[in-house]
Amino acid sequence: MARPVKPPTPSSTIPSKAAALVVLALCLSSLGFFAGRHSVDGEPTLQISDAVSNSNGTSVVPRKRVSETSDLSKVTIRNIATIPFSQLYDILRAATSEQRMAWARELEQMPSGLGQRVAVAAYYKSLIQVDHRAAIEGVLHAGNLRARDVAIDAMTKAAPESTWGDLAEMLEELPFAGSVFGGADLFGNWSRVDPVAVSEFIEKYPLTAKQRDRETGDDWRMSALIRSWGEIDPAAARSWLEDDASRQTQGVAEALLTSWGRVDRAGAIEYAVAKAGQPQFASAINELVYQFIRFAGEDATRLLAVLPTSQAQAAVKNVAAVTSPLPEEVNGINDRGPEYQRPPEEVAHWMITLPLELWQENIGPVAAKWMDETPDAAKAWLNQLPPASRDTAIASCCHAAVLGYHSREPAIEIGLTISDARLRDAAVGALVRRLETSVPGAISASRIINELSVSEQQKAYLRTFITGKPYAE
Amino acid sequence: MRNRARWVAVLALAGVTVLAFFAGRQFEASAQAAKARARSTSAVAQLPAPEIEPPAYRQLAVTEILALPFWKFYEALRSAPEGAREKWASELAAMPDGPRRTAAVSGFYKLLVQFDPTAAVKAIRAIEDVKMQCVALGAAVDAAPGSAMPKIAELSLSLENATETVSSRDYLLDVLFAWMEIDAGAVGRFISQHPETEDYLHRLPIRQVLIPVLTRTWAEADPAEARRWLKGRGSEGEDALLSEEFIDGWYVSDRAAAVAYVLAHSGESGFLGGVGAIVRNLYSDSREEAAKFVQSLPEDVGADALREAFRRHPLGSEEAGDTVRTSRAFASWMTTLPPAYWQGALGSAFFSSTEMLQWIEEQPLAIREKASEEFRSLGDSTVSDAAAVFQSASPDLQERLLTAMLRNERHAPSATEFQKSLDASSLSPSQQQRLLRILQLVSAEKNAASSAKTAKDFADDQ
């Protein structure tokens, strides 16, 4: 017989329930407390040790971001660049110098490649702003030259304006400085804000002959300096150059005249005239003339009027060469920037206003290029010139075609319209003979003549330059 | 009634748990903050005393930025409200042109772009003086963090027409180069989403290097994504997949796959750059592996690959701290391979005839004899290189080197030109005669070869 279950009496069940509840409450509160602690993210006190990993390719981003990233293999050291500067600033500022050096060494030990480049760049880009001396120390003691060069490039870009001098000194102290490419920006930027300091630096650390440009003897730092100084204070820049003749090299002379010309055209013209005849200033004067054409055509004319004829001719020849470069020279012109080269119609209009001896040999390439681009407009312009000027300009076009400036067929066609018979024979004859020698065999020259859009009579005239038989009308 | 008591108990337990959870959070946060304070205090204690209290932004004039310690300006700018930043920007615009303004503008925007790129972009866009705008844009381009790159690229692109009238700097190009290091895929997408960038990139030869460099960088970061993007660019992209840039990058991200792929396609036309890239990278990592790879190639491809390896990536120098990627080291390694691989390629390792000459003289006899056949003039003038040969080599070796040098000349000088150079040289009459005799022999040899080729071509045509 089953024993009847005795119902619990209130006096025995209530304390045991309460005890169970208390135990349960204690357990739950402990669990809740620890869950609460673990729910706090470590990010608010981000440490660089979280941000910069060792060379195992582990995370460099804050823990929170890592945990949010499903594929850890994609979270690499390069992500240090995604840490906001304000966070890196606080971390780096709070770190000891030993710690900063340790981080620098740690970055050097990373496997070489993209991840290292990005991490090194991000680190030094920030450190140069927080403590530029620490950044310089890091670079000076770097053992990994490739990583070091990345660091120098990053530092040069982000450096506060007051640190240029120290960075330049650093470049002088670097072991194996031959591999550094970041110097040009540094001297360019420094010269914009303190050219006198740059000039003193250059005097203190002269380049050896081997370090200068092999062809021109230029010191690239001087060119960078004068390019800015000539705009800021041309008189001071000139005075510094003239203190030592060895400073007046071709590139530096060009930097002075063109920068001066940007802020004081009259002063630059006067100085150019004074220096005309000095070989190292020849290309500088040419460049100044071209710069005036770009920004102030009337000053180009004014300068040419006061230059010795030979220098003026050379300058106009340079204008033609820049406006209408030979195919093999196109890249050199293009590398000077998209706005550098002026349209041929603009240059032709300006050139024809010069004295005949300056344009007669130079207008050809310019007009020839114009004819290649918009033939009708170019021909209309040539046809409206006074007869003598027109003949000379068209003869110049034919000569340019001989030299390979543009296609020869249009030049032959327009050459036939030269009114002066002797000039026409000379100009067109040279062009047809060039056809004969530049294409394989006279048959090809004849074919070209046959295909020209000119009358049969004119074709017969042209053929005489191939056969040598006199033309009989 | 009993149910009600049960619910009360459950609610009380839940309440306790929630309270405990938040208490735990609070405790942990306080503990972390205390730790951070301790660390920060110990570090800050080492900083100069004035740094402890950053100045209020109202105390600073932006025009004095150059004279200020960086931290002062940084702290002030960081704590300043937007209105104060705008006020500083207008103060800058009011400064007279000159070095002080350049320094202030550059410093201001370099900093602003790092913690508020949106404000920096807005302020730069609003600058009316294009010269000052260029200084500000240049500073932003240089200092922009990765997250700001898209905005700065957009800004550079939109201001291009204005900035190119006063500055020769290519701002957009500079941003894209810096950005691709951080996120090459984003640069690829930027180019795809801004078709005008394609025109911009094709306008100047100097800009045309961007796509090859992007190809390399992207292949280094994510070759599969890079491949997909390149395939979407039509034939230009298909060519890029075979390029040395793609292989270069792929090698870094997945060496085994890149090497296997190149080996499988090494005989295909247009792929030589890729083969050269593998040789170059393997050589830098492991010369044994590089030798194995070259010997796995057909002999003619192997020689071309060696010639190609450093054609566009100049070898380093010991002066620059490099002892592996030097002409001498590369040439010495090449000659560990059978001569069929390096004959015709050895000269490509050197940039100076003198260095090549010195290296040849140091080689053991067997290598020296073969290597001397590769000697060529790499300087400005054949005659001056001949003078170096006369000075340093033994008579027997001189004959070999001079013959090889004249034989390997791509554009043989005419007898008249050669005589002119001899007249202007410091060579003795006997040396000149000897050189002329060798030139005549080599010319006769070349003429005979040329005649034989013409006769063969004629016979083939018939």
Side-chain angles (χ1 to χ4, degrees):
Chain A
M1 192 179 152
R3 239 171 101 182
V5 177
K6 193 179 172 185
T9 59
S11 59
S12 63
T13 56
I14 288 171
S16 65
K17 271 188 183 172
L21 267 176
V22 168
V23 169
L24 194 60
L26 279 173
C27 289
L28 286 174
S29 60
S30 300
L31 280 173
F33 185 78
F34 284 108
R37 283 192 68 181
H38 283 281
S39 74
V40 176
D41 204 298
E43 193 183 17
T45 53
L46 174 72
Q47 292 302 298
I48 197 82
S49 52
D50 296 326
V52 182
S53 80
N54 57 26
S55 58
N56 301 329
T58 47
S59 169
V60 296
V61 297
R63 278 202 293 269
K64 185 177 174 190
R65 212 166 297 163
V66 173
S67 64
E68 283 171 2
T69 309
S70 55
D71 183 359
L72 283 177
S73 67
K74 285 189 177 173
V75 182
T76 64
I77 194 78
R78 67 175 175 270
N79 291 340
I80 194 173
T82 65
I83 298 177
F85 174 69
S86 53
Q87 283 185 29
L88 277 180
Y89 177 87
D90 290 338
I91 293 163
L92 292 174
R93 192 149 172 261
T96 61
S97 56
E98 290 78 19
Q99 182 61 72
R100 290 171 187 161
M101 288 300 277
W103 287 330
R105 297 291 83 80
E106 199 176 321
L107 288 169
E108 274 191 59
Q109 301 305 315
M110 284 178 66
S112 64
L114 187 60
Q116 187 190 45
R117 292 201 302 273
V118 174
V120 168
Y123 180 68
Y124 279 96
K125 199 171 174 179
S126 300
L127 189 58
I128 185 73
Q129 298 177 81
V130 176
D131 183 350
H132 76 280
R133 292 193 193 284
I136 288 171
E137 276 300 299
V139 161
L140 285 175
H141 292 98
N144 181 332
L145 295 184
R146 286 194 196 181
R148 183 195 74 175
D149 291 349
V150 172
I152 292 172
D153 184 56
M155 286 160 66
T156 306
K157 287 189 167 116
E161 311 306 307
S162 53
T163 62
W164 296 123
D166 291 335
L167 280 174
E169 292 273 354
M170 175 196 80
L171 289 184
E172 288 297 323
E173 285 179 47
L174 279 180
F176 303 119
S179 67
V180 176
F181 294 101
D185 285 349
L186 192 156
F187 282 91
N189 289 335
W190 188 16
S191 301
R192 290 188 315 176
V193 299
D194 196 353
V196 175
V198 179
S199 70
E200 287 164 1
F201 181 89
I202 291 173
E203 286 170 32
K204 188 176 167 190
Y205 298 105
L207 289 189
T208 62
K210 202 179 165 189
Q211 290 170 313
R212 287 170 170 256
D213 186 278
R214 219 173 67 175
E215 284 178 19
T216 62
D218 284 329
D219 175 341
W220 56 273
R221 303 168 310 168
M222 276 190 212
S223 302
L225 164 66
I226 298 298
R227 217 168 282 130
S228 290
W229 206 359
E231 269 192 51
I232 296 165
D233 186 351
R238 183 189 70 180
S239 167
W240 186 75
L241 277 194
E242 290 185 344
D243 281 349
D244 184 343
S246 74
R247 293 174 189 156
Q248 296 166 34
T249 56
Q250 186 182 310
V252 179
E254 187 179 313
L256 178 64
L257 272 184
T258 52
S259 58
W260 194 344
R262 281 194 286 274
V263 292
D264 171 16
R265 292 200 284 271
I269 288 174
E270 195 181 316
Y271 191 64
V273 172
K275 291 292 178 181
Q278 292 191 15
Q280 67 272 35
F281 276 84
S283 69
I285 293 171
N286 293 348
E287 195 54 43
L288 182 65
V289 170
Y290 197 80
Q291 181 175 292
F292 284 159
I293 288 174
R294 294 175 65 204
F295 301 110
E298 69 283 6
D299 283 313
T301 309
R302 197 170 300 142
L303 172 56
L304 290 170
V306 289
L307 282 173
T309 307
S310 60
Q311 176 71 67
Q313 281 172 331
V316 180
K317 189 176 179 185
N318 176 63
V319 171
V322 173
T323 311
S324 175
L326 285 167
E328 60 269 26
E329 290 163 357
V330 166
N331 282 352
I333 303 295
N334 282 347
D335 286 345
R336 310 198 67 159
E339 282 293 298
Y340 184 74
Q341 197 180 28
R342 302 312 304 156
E345 59 269 37
E346 181 186 315
V347 176
H349 277 104
W350 167 79
M351 203 181 265
I352 204 75
T353 65
L354 301 175
L356 178 69
E357 70 267 22
L358 294 184
W359 66 258
Q360 64 181 351
E361 288 178 7
N362 298 312
I363 204 155
V366 178
K369 188 177 183 211
W370 189 5
M371 270 202 286
D372 274 353
E373 290 177 3
T374 48
D376 293 343
K379 283 177 190 165
W381 178 77
L382 284 166
N383 287 334
Q384 57 80 45
L385 293 175
S389 296
R390 181 183 176 281
D391 278 2
T392 308
I394 292 174
S396 185
C397 286
C398 293
H399 185 62
V402 170
L403 297 178
Y405 276 94
H406 79 145
S407 41
R408 295 182 178 114
E409 291 85 340
I412 297 174
E413 287 172 16
I414 198 164
L416 288 168
T417 68
I418 295 175
S419 53
D420 180 325
R422 285 179 63 187
L423 186 61
R424 184 179 61 228
D425 287 353
V428 176
L431 194 44
V432 173
R433 280 191 290 274
R434 177 70 183 170
L435 279 182
E436 195 183 6
T437 53
S438 63
V439 289
I443 296 170
S444 296
S446 300
R447 188 174 298 156
I448 290 169
I449 291 170
N450 289 340
E451 288 169 5
L452 289 174
S453 306
V454 296
S455 68
E456 284 307 314
Q457 200 179 4
Q458 285 172 318
K459 286 178 185 171
Y461 163 73
L462 292 172
R463 283 187 203 105
T464 62
F465 297 111
I466 302 172
T467 60
K469 291 178 187 167
Y471 174 67
E473 295 204 23
Chain B
M1 188 69 188
R2 196 176 288 170
N3 269 349
R4 202 172 143 205
R6 219 173 262 161
W7 276 112
V8 168
V10 167
L11 283 173
L13 283 174
V16 165
T17 310
V18 169
L19 281 174
F21 177 84
F22 284 107
R25 266 187 77 83
Q26 183 62 34
F27 177 83
E28 182 64 22
S30 305
Q32 285 192 11
K35 267 187 219 166
R37 266 197 304 279
R39 269 195 298 261
S40 174
T41 309
S42 64
V44 171
Q46 297 165 22
L47 295 172
E51 296 191 23
I52 294 168
E53 282 187 27
Y57 66 90
R58 288 187 190 83
Q59 296 167 353
L60 292 174
V62 74
T63 52
E64 297 305 326
I65 191 170
L66 190 62
L68 290 172
F70 174 82
W71 70 271
K72 260 192 178 183
F73 198 77
Y74 174 77
E75 295 293 357
L77 196 59
R78 181 155 72 160
S79 62
E82 198 183 335
R85 292 175 191 165
E86 283 173 7
K87 182 177 154 283
W88 279 338
S90 59
E91 272 180 34
L92 288 172
M95 282 178 80
D97 188 14
R100 283 186 73 234
R101 183 175 82 165
T102 304
V105 170
S106 179
F108 178 74
Y109 285 100
K110 222 179 250 184
L111 206 43
L112 188 58
V113 76
Q114 294 181 80
F115 59 81
D116 193 348
T118 307
V121 166
K122 190 178 156 196
I124 293 170
R125 206 183 283 286
I127 297 174
E128 286 173 6
D129 176 345
V130 180
K131 197 176 159 198
M132 181 176 149
Q133 194 174 41
C134 287
V135 174
L137 180 60
V141 165
D142 283 343
S147 59
M149 294 292 185
K151 289 190 178 77
I152 299 297
E154 295 263 7
L155 179 70
S156 304
L157 184 61
S158 67
L159 295 180
E160 199 218 338
N161 287 339
T163 55
E164 72 180 9
T165 60
V166 299
S167 170
S168 58
R169 184 169 172 186
D170 235 326
Y171 298 99
L172 179 59
L173 199 66
D174 287 353
V175 183
L176 296 180
F177 272 120
W179 189 10
M180 75 170 70
E181 289 274 307
I182 297 163
D183 190 348
V187 174
R189 288 187 290 279
F190 180 88
I191 293 170
S192 304
Q193 287 157 10
H194 297 79
E196 65 270 39
T197 315
E198 295 279 3
D199 297 338
Y200 163 87
L201 291 175
H202 282 93
R203 221 177 301 151
L204 288 180
I206 199 166
R207 294 176 185 163
Q208 286 162 19
V209 299
L210 186 114
I211 297 293
V213 178
L214 176 64
T215 301
R216 177 188 290 124
T217 313
W218 202 348
E220 191 176 340
D222 189 344
E225 271 293 306
R227 184 178 285 117
R228 263 195 292 279
W229 184 76
L230 287 168
K231 280 190 169 171
R233 290 176 60 80
S235 62
E236 191 189 340
E238 294 285 347
D239 290 347
L241 282 173
L242 297 176
S243 68
E244 65 170 300
E245 285 82 12
F246 186 79
I247 302 299
D248 245 343
W250 193 11
Y251 177 93
V252 178
S253 59
D254 188 348
R255 173 172 148 174
V259 171
Y261 181 82
V262 169
L263 264 182
H265 295 82
S266 60
E268 290 176 16
S269 66
F271 204 48
L272 203 52
V275 184
I278 295 290
V279 174
R280 178 174 61 253
N281 283 293
L282 281 174
Y283 171 78
S284 300
D285 289 349
S286 156
R287 279 170 268 192
E288 290 74 29
E289 291 288 318
K292 270 189 218 162
F293 174 79
V294 172
Q295 290 182 80
S296 319
L297 297 168
E299 274 184 9
D300 55 333
V301 178
D304 286 342
L306 289 174
R307 210 173 17 245
E308 196 68 18
F310 286 98
R311 187 173 62 86
R312 293 205 293 148
H313 298 261
L315 286 145
S317 68
E318 288 178 14
E319 278 177 5
D322 192 341
T323 53
V324 175
R325 290 158 62 104
T326 65
S327 297
R328 298 171 67 85
F330 187 54
S332 297
W333 169 79
M334 269 201 238
T335 53
T336 62
L337 297 166
Y341 285 103
W342 52 264
Q343 280 174 331
L346 192 65
S348 66
F350 292 94
F351 299 95
S352 137
S353 303
T354 319
E355 190 181 14
M356 186 172 183
L357 180 61
Q358 282 170 352
W359 178 85
I360 289 173
E361 286 184 301
E362 290 164 14
Q363 301 309 302
L365 185 64
I367 299 285
R368 189 163 67 224
E369 287 189 349
K370 291 265 182 212
S372 61
E373 289 168 17
E374 303 292 310
F375 185 66
R376 62 187 59 198
S377 174
L378 297 163
D380 294 335
S381 133
T382 309
V383 172
S384 60
D385 285 334
V389 173
F390 279 124
Q391 277 179 4
S392 55
S394 67
D396 183 41
L397 187 59
Q398 280 174 14
E399 191 77 7
R400 281 173 177 278
L401 291 168
L402 294 171
T403 305
M405 185 175 77
L406 292 169
R407 198 179 275 152
N408 293 331
E409 282 275 296
R410 277 203 193 140
H411 306 290
S414 70
T416 325
E417 285 170 10
F418 201 69
Q419 187 60 57
K420 268 189 195 169
S421 307
L422 284 177
D423 292 344
S425 73
S426 58
L427 293 180
S428 70
S430 66
Q431 287 171 333
Q432 291 188 19
Q433 277 177 2
R434 198 170 155 201
L435 203 52
L436 275 172
R437 177 181 57 77
I438 297 171
L439 178 68
Q440 281 165 358
L441 282 174
V442 170
S443 300
E445 189 184 288
K446 283 184 175 174
N447 287 340
S450 169
S451 304
K453 186 178 179 301
T454 309
K456 186 178 174 300
D457 290 347
F458 185 74
D460 289 348
D461 285 347
Q462 297 301 304

